[in-house]
Amino acid sequence: MKVIAVIPARAGSKGIPNKNIRLINEKPLIYYAINNALCCEMIDEVIVSTNSKEVQIIAEQMGARVHWRNEQLCGDEVTLDGVIYDATTSCSRVDTDIVITMQPTSPTLRTATLESAITYFKDNAFDTLISCVNKPHLAWRQDDSGYKYPDYQKRLNRQYLPPYYLETGAFLITRKGYVTPESRLGEKIEVFEVSEDESIDIDTYSDLKTAEHVLSNQRVAFYVNGNTKRGLGHIYRCLELADEFYVSPDIYYDINQTTREIFGESTHNFIGVNGIGELFQTLSNKKYDIFINDVLNTTIDYMIALKACNPAKKIINFEDDGEGVLKADLIINALYQNPTVQQMKAGEDFYICGKTFLFYDPIEIKQGVENVFISFGGADPQNYTDRILEIIKTSEYQKYNFTVVIGRAKENVEALLKYNDIENIEVLYDVRNMPQLMSKCDIAITSRGRTGYELALLGIPTLAMAQNTREEKHGFVSQENGFNYLGLNPNNSVIKANLDLYLSLEQSERQRIHNKLLEHDLRNGRKRVLGLINSL
């Protein structure tokens, strides 16, 4: 069966001037329909019907035939039926059995989808097959008198409504005998469902923008691991960043290090692998534009193998302290202040804060300290939480309220929760409302990690201590930036003396510290990070 595709592309669009030759993702709109038709092995001939010299040049350069359309067929009131009939009867060089109308206003159609539709058409002996998108909604109609009435029998959530098919314009496949100046529809008509991404029909400027986004979309993958021993900062950042892409990324994790439950209720596509070998084997069947590692350290061997099995266009590593940074396209480390390689971006400008923190204003500095926030997250290897609780349980601190947050990595949770028996101490485990808890406090005590950024964002005067030698390298939490940093594993007398100092600080001094902390722009880091990724 001989198949031709006719692409109608006249000049003179009024809604969007020069629509058919506007550049979308660096190519003219008409390019996409022509390219789909030419790449489809089931189409024998591609004809572009036009009265535009620019369209003619583009079509001929791409290898399509051009039929110069009579001006009588170029008016706004002319339907496509006459245009397609004119092209098939006047221009085709083959003895045609099937005619496919492909409108250039559907640039996001994929060649594979077109081929599937043609196969479906042939296998089922339809007369006509029309591309449609299933978009069920609670819709209303209007009769001749203007009365509005529901176009549904029962109000249901969208996923439970019956199918509602809208034509997309991507293709209309029909048997040649049904192509007349008045129609292209046969007797046995069926619809072929296309995805929402492929259903874009460009009529407005917003459609152009949407099509640009879809055509330039990149396939994104993460490899991330976190657990109660290592901490969950990598997981939290992965989930924050994954939400910033306008695609649903694949998120890989090693089942020997990380459980699915660690990611919470997120509906991203999580893929567990049994070690690096299975990761590479899985990736060899995929193709990503962006691959993001958030696994603490990488090796050169790992990076070489990663590029060999899946040559992504961009490989980005977060907080990577290993030799693999030499093979990454971009390294982002908000916790370090100075880059160690040319392609590293380091420092506070690249901190990605949690979305919920953006909805909280900095605290107001009160006349005196009343509430204290304490959290060391992770495993708290120096047992700071235990040591501080022993300090503050005495009557000396009864006039202050302490909120102590412990994470899932802490081993002696049950013992620490017993401090809730003390009236002015509240110990909370594995919370989800950190900004709410922080914003109620006047001062804080924490480690030298991500929580320091969160407290600075809210302008909370903070005492900080490193939990390990790695945290000693984290430069943001420092005296220079407004923190009182006590170093790694200070003794209890030092901790107590500095706590007493902060509890007694005058309002003016806490206000000075508050202002110093707020000098840092910590709310726009995700925008900067995405800008770096997209500029690679």
mmCIF file of all heavy atoms in Angstrom, residues 168-207:
data_model
loop_
_atom_site.group_PDB
_atom_site.id
_atom_site.type_symbol
_atom_site.label_atom_id
_atom_site.label_comp_id
_atom_site.label_asym_id
_atom_site.label_seq_id
_atom_site.Cartn_x
_atom_site.Cartn_y
_atom_site.Cartn_z
ATOM 1 N N THR A 168 -5.973 16.393 17.782
ATOM 2 C CA THR A 168 -4.751 17.167 17.987
ATOM 3 C C THR A 168 -4.225 17.825 16.720
ATOM 4 O O THR A 168 -3.461 18.792 16.800
ATOM 5 C CB THR A 168 -3.636 16.270 18.546
ATOM 6 O OG1 THR A 168 -3.193 15.368 17.511
ATOM 7 C CG2 THR A 168 -4.114 15.494 19.763
ATOM 8 N N GLY A 169 -4.551 17.300 15.552
ATOM 9 C CA GLY A 169 -3.991 17.849 14.316
ATOM 10 C C GLY A 169 -2.675 17.209 13.927
ATOM 11 O O GLY A 169 -2.122 17.524 12.869
ATOM 12 N N ALA A 170 -2.155 16.324 14.772
ATOM 13 C CA ALA A 170 -0.855 15.708 14.460
ATOM 14 C C ALA A 170 -0.934 14.879 13.176
ATOM 15 O O ALA A 170 -0.048 14.957 12.325
ATOM 16 C CB ALA A 170 -0.390 14.850 15.627
ATOM 17 N N PHE A 171 -1.987 14.083 13.043
ATOM 18 C CA PHE A 171 -2.167 13.323 11.806
ATOM 19 C C PHE A 171 -3.626 12.907 11.639
ATOM 20 O O PHE A 171 -4.351 12.731 12.620
ATOM 21 C CB PHE A 171 -1.257 12.083 11.753
ATOM 22 C CG PHE A 171 -1.400 11.147 12.925
ATOM 23 C CD1 PHE A 171 -2.453 10.234 12.999
ATOM 24 C CD2 PHE A 171 -0.470 11.161 13.952
ATOM 25 C CE1 PHE A 171 -2.577 9.371 14.076
ATOM 26 C CE2 PHE A 171 -0.587 10.308 15.035
ATOM 27 C CZ PHE A 171 -1.641 9.408 15.103
ATOM 28 N N LEU A 172 -4.026 12.800 10.407
ATOM 29 C CA LEU A 172 -5.311 12.207 10.025
ATOM 30 C C LEU A 172 -5.009 11.274 8.864
ATOM 31 O O LEU A 172 -4.585 11.705 7.784
ATOM 32 C CB LEU A 172 -6.325 13.277 9.622
ATOM 33 C CG LEU A 172 -7.760 12.795 9.348
ATOM 34 C CD1 LEU A 172 -8.769 13.909 9.625
ATOM 35 C CD2 LEU A 172 -7.942 12.277 7.922
ATOM 36 N N ILE A 173 -5.148 9.977 9.117
ATOM 37 C CA ILE A 173 -4.830 8.951 8.125
ATOM 38 C C ILE A 173 -6.137 8.484 7.494
ATOM 39 O O ILE A 173 -7.085 8.120 8.206
ATOM 40 C CB ILE A 173 -4.113 7.762 8.779
ATOM 41 C CG1 ILE A 173 -2.882 8.239 9.572
ATOM 42 C CG2 ILE A 173 -3.705 6.726 7.743
ATOM 43 C CD1 ILE A 173 -2.214 7.158 10.410
ATOM 44 N N THR A 174 -6.176 8.483 6.168
ATOM 45 C CA THR A 174 -7.427 8.084 5.509
ATOM 46 C C THR A 174 -7.125 7.410 4.167
ATOM 47 O O THR A 174 -6.052 7.623 3.581
ATOM 48 C CB THR A 174 -8.340 9.311 5.300
ATOM 49 O OG1 THR A 174 -9.657 8.890 4.992
ATOM 50 C CG2 THR A 174 -7.836 10.211 4.182
ATOM 51 N N ARG A 175 -8.059 6.635 3.714
ATOM 52 C CA ARG A 175 -7.898 5.984 2.410
ATOM 53 C C ARG A 175 -8.145 7.005 1.304
ATOM 54 O O ARG A 175 -8.996 7.869 1.406
ATOM 55 C CB ARG A 175 -8.852 4.797 2.284
ATOM 56 C CG ARG A 175 -8.560 3.748 3.346
ATOM 57 C CD ARG A 175 -9.278 2.437 3.113
ATOM 58 N NE ARG A 175 -8.942 1.519 4.224
ATOM 59 C CZ ARG A 175 -7.826 0.804 4.288
ATOM 60 N NH1 ARG A 175 -6.943 0.864 3.300
ATOM 61 N NH2 ARG A 175 -7.577 0.022 5.330
ATOM 62 N N LYS A 176 -7.351 6.882 0.249
ATOM 63 C CA LYS A 176 -7.361 7.890 -0.815
ATOM 64 C C LYS A 176 -8.749 8.116 -1.397
ATOM 65 O O LYS A 176 -9.128 9.238 -1.732
ATOM 66 C CB LYS A 176 -6.411 7.444 -1.940
ATOM 67 C CG LYS A 176 -6.481 8.322 -3.200
ATOM 68 C CD LYS A 176 -5.318 9.222 -3.277
ATOM 69 C CE LYS A 176 -5.326 10.113 -4.516
ATOM 70 N NZ LYS A 176 -5.792 9.572 -5.754
ATOM 71 N N GLY A 177 -9.544 7.077 -1.449
ATOM 72 C CA GLY A 177 -10.867 7.220 -2.048
ATOM 73 C C GLY A 177 -11.793 8.152 -1.284
ATOM 74 O O GLY A 177 -12.800 8.616 -1.830
ATOM 75 N N TYR A 178 -11.476 8.428 -0.034
ATOM 76 C CA TYR A 178 -12.320 9.297 0.777
ATOM 77 C C TYR A 178 -11.837 10.753 0.780
ATOM 78 O O TYR A 178 -12.454 11.602 1.423
ATOM 79 C CB TYR A 178 -12.389 8.781 2.213
ATOM 80 C CG TYR A 178 -13.140 7.481 2.327
ATOM 81 C CD1 TYR A 178 -12.458 6.276 2.515
ATOM 82 C CD2 TYR A 178 -14.529 7.453 2.233
ATOM 83 C CE1 TYR A 178 -13.149 5.072 2.614
ATOM 84 C CE2 TYR A 178 -15.229 6.254 2.331
ATOM 85 C CZ TYR A 178 -14.530 5.066 2.525
ATOM 86 O OH TYR A 178 -15.225 3.883 2.618
ATOM 87 N N VAL A 179 -10.741 11.005 0.062
ATOM 88 C CA VAL A 179 -10.223 12.375 -0.006
ATOM 89 C C VAL A 179 -10.936 13.107 -1.141
ATOM 90 O O VAL A 179 -10.749 12.805 -2.320
ATOM 91 C CB VAL A 179 -8.702 12.386 -0.241
ATOM 92 C CG1 VAL A 179 -8.186 13.829 -0.356
ATOM 93 C CG2 VAL A 179 -7.991 11.671 0.896
ATOM 94 N N THR A 180 -11.765 14.063 -0.778
ATOM 95 C CA THR A 180 -12.516 14.874 -1.735
ATOM 96 C C THR A 180 -12.339 16.344 -1.362
ATOM 97 O O THR A 180 -11.804 16.664 -0.303
ATOM 98 C CB THR A 180 -14.009 14.517 -1.705
ATOM 99 O OG1 THR A 180 -14.596 15.013 -0.492
ATOM 100 C CG2 THR A 180 -14.230 13.004 -1.801
ATOM 101 N N PRO A 181 -12.795 17.260 -2.218
ATOM 102 C CA PRO A 181 -12.708 18.689 -1.857
ATOM 103 C C PRO A 181 -13.530 19.048 -0.625
ATOM 104 O O PRO A 181 -13.320 20.106 -0.048
ATOM 105 C CB PRO A 181 -13.252 19.396 -3.101
ATOM 106 C CG PRO A 181 -13.016 18.435 -4.225
ATOM 107 C CD PRO A 181 -13.227 17.079 -3.624
ATOM 108 N N GLU A 182 -14.443 18.166 -0.222
ATOM 109 C CA GLU A 182 -15.322 18.478 0.917
ATOM 110 C C GLU A 182 -15.035 17.649 2.163
ATOM 111 O O GLU A 182 -15.494 17.978 3.254
ATOM 112 C CB GLU A 182 -16.791 18.254 0.530
ATOM 113 C CG GLU A 182 -17.333 19.214 -0.499
ATOM 114 C CD GLU A 182 -16.907 18.840 -1.924
ATOM 115 O OE1 GLU A 182 -16.696 17.614 -2.182
ATOM 116 O OE2 GLU A 182 -16.772 19.744 -2.759
ATOM 117 N N SER A 183 -14.268 16.570 2.050
ATOM 118 C CA SER A 183 -14.092 15.705 3.222
ATOM 119 C C SER A 183 -12.858 14.824 3.077
ATOM 120 O O SER A 183 -12.346 14.624 1.966
ATOM 121 C CB SER A 183 -15.334 14.823 3.396
ATOM 122 O OG SER A 183 -15.165 13.942 4.480
ATOM 123 N N ARG A 184 -12.427 14.297 4.226
ATOM 124 C CA ARG A 184 -11.357 13.288 4.252
ATOM 125 C C ARG A 184 -11.750 12.123 5.163
ATOM 126 O O ARG A 184 -10.902 11.313 5.525
ATOM 127 C CB ARG A 184 -10.056 13.898 4.779
ATOM 128 C CG ARG A 184 -9.338 14.821 3.820
ATOM 129 C CD ARG A 184 -8.278 15.633 4.543
ATOM 130 N NE ARG A 184 -8.881 16.582 5.466
ATOM 131 C CZ ARG A 184 -8.344 16.973 6.613
ATOM 132 N NH1 ARG A 184 -7.190 16.469 6.999
ATOM 133 N NH2 ARG A 184 -8.952 17.846 7.401
ATOM 134 N N LEU A 185 -13.007 12.060 5.529
ATOM 135 C CA LEU A 185 -13.472 11.057 6.483
ATOM 136 C C LEU A 185 -14.190 9.909 5.779
ATOM 137 O O LEU A 185 -15.073 10.136 4.944
ATOM 138 C CB LEU A 185 -14.417 11.697 7.505
ATOM 139 C CG LEU A 185 -13.845 12.858 8.326
ATOM 140 C CD1 LEU A 185 -14.900 13.379 9.283
ATOM 141 C CD2 LEU A 185 -12.590 12.427 9.075
ATOM 142 N N GLY A 186 -13.791 8.686 6.154
ATOM 143 C CA GLY A 186 -14.462 7.508 5.628
ATOM 144 C C GLY A 186 -15.620 7.106 6.516
ATOM 145 O O GLY A 186 -16.099 7.881 7.353
ATOM 146 N N GLU A 187 -16.055 5.867 6.376
ATOM 147 C CA GLU A 187 -17.188 5.379 7.156
ATOM 148 C C GLU A 187 -16.732 4.747 8.466
ATOM 149 O O GLU A 187 -17.364 4.929 9.511
ATOM 150 C CB GLU A 187 -17.980 4.372 6.320
ATOM 151 C CG GLU A 187 -18.609 4.984 5.067
ATOM 152 C CD GLU A 187 -19.335 3.952 4.232
ATOM 153 O OE1 GLU A 187 -19.359 2.764 4.644
ATOM 154 O OE2 GLU A 187 -19.862 4.309 3.160
ATOM 155 N N LYS A 188 -15.659 4.010 8.422
ATOM 156 C CA LYS A 188 -15.158 3.344 9.623
ATOM 157 C C LYS A 188 -14.032 4.192 10.215
ATOM 158 O O LYS A 188 -12.882 4.146 9.776
ATOM 159 C CB LYS A 188 -14.652 1.941 9.281
ATOM 160 C CG LYS A 188 -14.320 1.097 10.506
ATOM 161 C CD LYS A 188 -13.894 -0.316 10.107
ATOM 162 C CE LYS A 188 -13.579 -1.154 11.351
ATOM 163 N NZ LYS A 188 -13.132 -2.521 10.971
ATOM 164 N N ILE A 189 -14.379 4.985 11.222
ATOM 165 C CA ILE A 189 -13.452 5.961 11.795
ATOM 166 C C ILE A 189 -13.041 5.528 13.201
ATOM 167 O O ILE A 189 -13.864 5.068 13.991
ATOM 168 C CB ILE A 189 -14.096 7.365 11.842
ATOM 169 C CG1 ILE A 189 -14.513 7.805 10.434
ATOM 170 C CG2 ILE A 189 -13.129 8.384 12.451
ATOM 171 C CD1 ILE A 189 -15.298 9.102 10.408
ATOM 172 N N GLU A 190 -11.773 5.684 13.493
ATOM 173 C CA GLU A 190 -11.254 5.385 14.827
ATOM 174 C C GLU A 190 -10.306 6.509 15.238
ATOM 175 O O GLU A 190 -9.816 7.280 14.400
ATOM 176 C CB GLU A 190 -10.512 4.043 14.808
ATOM 177 C CG GLU A 190 -9.916 3.593 16.133
ATOM 178 C CD GLU A 190 -10.919 3.441 17.260
ATOM 179 O OE1 GLU A 190 -11.256 4.493 17.833
ATOM 180 O OE2 GLU A 190 -11.343 2.303 17.548
ATOM 181 N N VAL A 191 -10.060 6.610 16.542
ATOM 182 C CA VAL A 191 -9.088 7.589 17.034
ATOM 183 C C VAL A 191 -7.855 6.849 17.529
ATOM 184 O O VAL A 191 -7.941 5.705 17.974
ATOM 185 C CB VAL A 191 -9.672 8.469 18.167
ATOM 186 C CG1 VAL A 191 -10.910 9.200 17.684
ATOM 187 C CG2 VAL A 191 -9.968 7.649 19.412
ATOM 188 N N PHE A 192 -6.718 7.530 17.445
ATOM 189 C CA PHE A 192 -5.452 6.982 17.942
ATOM 190 C C PHE A 192 -4.954 7.923 19.022
ATOM 191 O O PHE A 192 -4.660 9.091 18.768
ATOM 192 C CB PHE A 192 -4.425 6.871 16.814
ATOM 193 C CG PHE A 192 -3.188 6.118 17.205
ATOM 194 C CD1 PHE A 192 -3.106 4.741 17.031
ATOM 195 C CD2 PHE A 192 -2.090 6.790 17.764
ATOM 196 C CE1 PHE A 192 -1.962 4.047 17.402
ATOM 197 C CE2 PHE A 192 -0.942 6.100 18.128
ATOM 198 C CZ PHE A 192 -0.880 4.720 17.943
ATOM 199 N N GLU A 193 -4.871 7.402 20.236
ATOM 200 C CA GLU A 193 -4.516 8.253 21.368
ATOM 201 C C GLU A 193 -3.018 8.540 21.390
ATOM 202 O O GLU A 193 -2.202 7.624 21.314
ATOM 203 C CB GLU A 193 -4.946 7.592 22.680
ATOM 204 C CG GLU A 193 -4.748 8.475 23.889
ATOM 205 C CD GLU A 193 -5.304 7.859 25.167
ATOM 206 O OE1 GLU A 193 -6.162 6.949 25.058
ATOM 207 O OE2 GLU A 193 -4.870 8.287 26.258
ATOM 208 N N VAL A 194 -2.677 9.821 21.505
ATOM 209 C CA VAL A 194 -1.286 10.233 21.668
ATOM 210 C C VAL A 194 -1.113 10.804 23.074
ATOM 211 O O VAL A 194 -2.088 11.173 23.739
ATOM 212 C CB VAL A 194 -0.873 11.281 20.607
ATOM 213 C CG1 VAL A 194 -1.020 10.710 19.205
ATOM 214 C CG2 VAL A 194 -1.675 12.570 20.749
ATOM 215 N N SER A 195 0.120 10.874 23.515
ATOM 216 C CA SER A 195 0.395 11.402 24.850
ATOM 217 C C SER A 195 0.119 12.902 24.890
ATOM 218 O O SER A 195 0.054 13.576 23.852
ATOM 219 C CB SER A 195 1.853 11.147 25.229
ATOM 220 O OG SER A 195 2.718 11.906 24.397
ATOM 221 N N GLU A 196 -0.009 13.424 26.094
ATOM 222 C CA GLU A 196 -0.271 14.854 26.232
ATOM 223 C C GLU A 196 0.882 15.679 25.678
ATOM 224 O O GLU A 196 0.667 16.725 25.073
ATOM 225 C CB GLU A 196 -0.525 15.205 27.704
ATOM 226 C CG GLU A 196 -1.067 16.603 27.894
ATOM 227 C CD GLU A 196 -1.754 16.786 29.226
ATOM 228 O OE1 GLU A 196 -2.028 15.783 29.905
ATOM 229 O OE2 GLU A 196 -2.025 17.948 29.577
ATOM 230 N N ASP A 197 2.110 15.211 25.865
ATOM 231 C CA ASP A 197 3.261 15.928 25.313
ATOM 232 C C ASP A 197 3.194 16.017 23.792
ATOM 233 O O ASP A 197 3.633 17.010 23.203
ATOM 234 C CB ASP A 197 4.567 15.230 25.711
ATOM 235 C CG ASP A 197 5.031 15.623 27.098
ATOM 236 O OD1 ASP A 197 4.388 16.500 27.697
ATOM 237 O OD2 ASP A 197 6.025 15.054 27.583
ATOM 238 N N GLU A 198 2.661 14.986 23.154
ATOM 239 C CA GLU A 198 2.606 14.955 21.694
ATOM 240 C C GLU A 198 1.339 15.609 21.142
ATOM 241 O O GLU A 198 1.162 15.671 19.927
ATOM 242 C CB GLU A 198 2.680 13.511 21.202
ATOM 243 C CG GLU A 198 4.006 12.836 21.476
ATOM 244 C CD GLU A 198 4.038 11.422 20.932
ATOM 245 O OE1 GLU A 198 3.585 10.505 21.640
ATOM 246 O OE2 GLU A 198 4.497 11.228 19.796
ATOM 247 N N SER A 199 0.494 16.093 22.020
ATOM 248 C CA SER A 199 -0.812 16.601 21.570
ATOM 249 C C SER A 199 -0.830 18.108 21.359
ATOM 250 O O SER A 199 -1.863 18.667 20.985
ATOM 251 C CB SER A 199 -1.879 16.247 22.613
ATOM 252 O OG SER A 199 -1.727 17.031 23.788
ATOM 253 N N ILE A 200 0.286 18.778 21.558
ATOM 254 C CA ILE A 200 0.305 20.244 21.463
ATOM 255 C C ILE A 200 -0.053 20.681 20.052
ATOM 256 O O ILE A 200 0.528 20.222 19.072
ATOM 257 C CB ILE A 200 1.691 20.784 21.852
ATOM 258 C CG1 ILE A 200 1.993 20.432 23.311
ATOM 259 C CG2 ILE A 200 1.758 22.298 21.653
ATOM 260 C CD1 ILE A 200 3.415 20.723 23.718
ATOM 261 N N ASP A 201 -1.023 21.568 19.959
ATOM 262 C CA ASP A 201 -1.473 22.130 18.680
ATOM 263 C C ASP A 201 -1.305 23.641 18.787
ATOM 264 O O ASP A 201 -2.025 24.301 19.527
ATOM 265 C CB ASP A 201 -2.933 21.756 18.431
ATOM 266 C CG ASP A 201 -3.369 22.083 17.012
ATOM 267 O OD1 ASP A 201 -2.519 22.510 16.212
ATOM 268 O OD2 ASP A 201 -4.566 21.926 16.714
ATOM 269 N N ILE A 202 -0.358 24.186 18.072
ATOM 270 C CA ILE A 202 0.040 25.569 18.299
ATOM 271 C C ILE A 202 -0.933 26.558 17.678
ATOM 272 O O ILE A 202 -1.027 26.683 16.455
ATOM 273 C CB ILE A 202 1.465 25.806 17.780
ATOM 274 C CG1 ILE A 202 2.435 24.985 18.627
ATOM 275 C CG2 ILE A 202 1.834 27.289 17.823
ATOM 276 C CD1 ILE A 202 3.866 25.091 18.230
ATOM 277 N N ASP A 203 -1.652 27.253 18.535
ATOM 278 C CA ASP A 203 -2.562 28.326 18.129
ATOM 279 C C ASP A 203 -2.191 29.652 18.776
ATOM 280 O O ASP A 203 -2.549 30.713 18.269
ATOM 281 C CB ASP A 203 -4.011 27.982 18.514
ATOM 282 C CG ASP A 203 -4.577 26.855 17.667
ATOM 283 O OD1 ASP A 203 -4.307 26.840 16.451
ATOM 284 O OD2 ASP A 203 -5.272 25.987 18.226
ATOM 285 N N THR A 204 -1.517 29.593 19.927
ATOM 286 C CA THR A 204 -1.228 30.794 20.695
ATOM 287 C C THR A 204 0.260 30.862 21.025
ATOM 288 O O THR A 204 1.002 29.891 20.853
ATOM 289 C CB THR A 204 -2.028 30.812 22.010
ATOM 290 O OG1 THR A 204 -1.564 29.734 22.846
ATOM 291 C CG2 THR A 204 -3.519 30.631 21.749
ATOM 292 N N TYR A 205 0.672 32.013 21.555
ATOM 293 C CA TYR A 205 2.065 32.174 21.958
ATOM 294 C C TYR A 205 2.402 31.253 23.130
ATOM 295 O O TYR A 205 3.532 30.773 23.237
ATOM 296 C CB TYR A 205 2.343 33.633 22.324
ATOM 297 C CG TYR A 205 2.429 34.543 21.117
ATOM 298 C CD1 TYR A 205 1.348 35.326 20.734
ATOM 299 C CD2 TYR A 205 3.595 34.608 20.351
ATOM 300 C CE1 TYR A 205 1.422 36.163 19.629
ATOM 301 C CE2 TYR A 205 3.676 35.427 19.240
ATOM 302 C CZ TYR A 205 2.585 36.212 18.878
ATOM 303 O OH TYR A 205 2.666 37.018 17.767
ATOM 304 N N SER A 206 1.439 31.031 24.007
ATOM 305 C CA SER A 206 1.705 30.113 25.117
ATOM 306 C C SER A 206 1.917 28.689 24.602
ATOM 307 O O SER A 206 2.699 27.924 25.169
ATOM 308 C CB SER A 206 0.561 30.149 26.135
ATOM 309 O OG SER A 206 -0.656 29.759 25.550
ATOM 310 N N ASP A 207 1.234 28.325 23.505
ATOM 311 C CA ASP A 207 1.476 27.016 22.891
ATOM 312 C C ASP A 207 2.912 26.916 22.373
ATOM 313 O O ASP A 207 3.558 25.870 22.485
ATOM 314 C CB ASP A 207 0.506 26.779 21.731
ATOM 315 C CG ASP A 207 -0.939 26.666 22.170
ATOM 316 O OD1 ASP A 207 -1.180 26.277 23.321
ATOM 317 O OD2 ASP A 207 -1.835 26.983 21.361
#
